[in-house]
Amino acid sequence: MPTHPLIPCLRYQNAPAAIDFLCAAFGFRRHAVYADDQDPNLIHHAQLTLGDGMVMLGSARPGPTTDAYRWKTAAEAGGVTACVYIVVDHLDAHHDRARAAGAEIVTPPHDNEGYPGRGYHARDPEGNSWSFGTYDPWAPL
């Protein structure tokens, strides 16, 4: 059993640009990127890490897999139905990096209301929702 069994998966119209953005703005690192041999703009599968966490992503494209899973990008869906939350140590510096790289800041760094920690919320260029904070839900209570 993996130590981190929950890994969010996302689809992007422009997956190469999304990978570049997520690395520049949010500090992800390329763990594995599998581009199509004939078309490097088509990403079959990518794994990006941040600390001990990971997200996986790929290019949005028509076909039976997309139909079976009902995959939609945030733009195709007209919004998001989920937000990826990531625990970070240096919230203000992380926010500043994201803003400088062009992330749309939805809420600036703030104290959480009703529970410990601080957080901020951003959107990537394709409209996916990202929440970063110092609150670690796994920390002992």
Side-chain angles (χ1 to χ4, degrees):
M1 172 77 116
T3 4
H4 306 285
L6 184 63
I7 302 171
C9 301
L10 305 162
R11 287 289 178 260
Y12 285 92
Q13 286 297 326
N14 187 340
I19 291 167
D20 290 343
F21 175 84
L22 296 172
C23 291
F26 300 149
F28 281 93
R29 295 178 188 261
R30 290 165 176 83
H31 183 262
V33 177
Y34 300 99
D36 188 79
D37 291 336
Q38 309 304 311
D39 180 3
N41 290 315
L42 175 63
I43 304 299
H44 291 289
H45 178 80
Q47 299 162 198
L48 306 180
T49 59
L50 183 62
D52 291 335
M54 177 181 285
V55 295
M56 296 189 299
L57 64 94
S59 294
R61 58 193 182 273
T65 302
T66 296
D67 294 343
Y69 285 100
R70 299 185 199 158
W71 278 111
K72 296 215 181 304
T73 65
E76 291 170 330
V80 295
T81 59
C83 175
V84 179
Y85 177 73
I86 300 168
V87 178
V88 295
D89 289 328
H90 306 287
L91 185 79
D92 292 306
H94 193 275
H95 163 268
D96 294 347
R97 174 184 179 157
R99 187 182 58 201
E104 177 189 350
I105 304 302
V106 178
T107 57
H110 60 277
D111 291 339
N112 292 335
E113 187 175 332
Y115 63 103
R118 300 181 70 237
Y120 82 94
H121 185 94
R123 272 193 280 269
D124 67 32
E126 290 200 23
N128 288 296
S129 187
W130 297 85
S131 183
F132 299 93
T134 59
Y135 175 70
D136 181 352
W138 290 108
L141 298 175

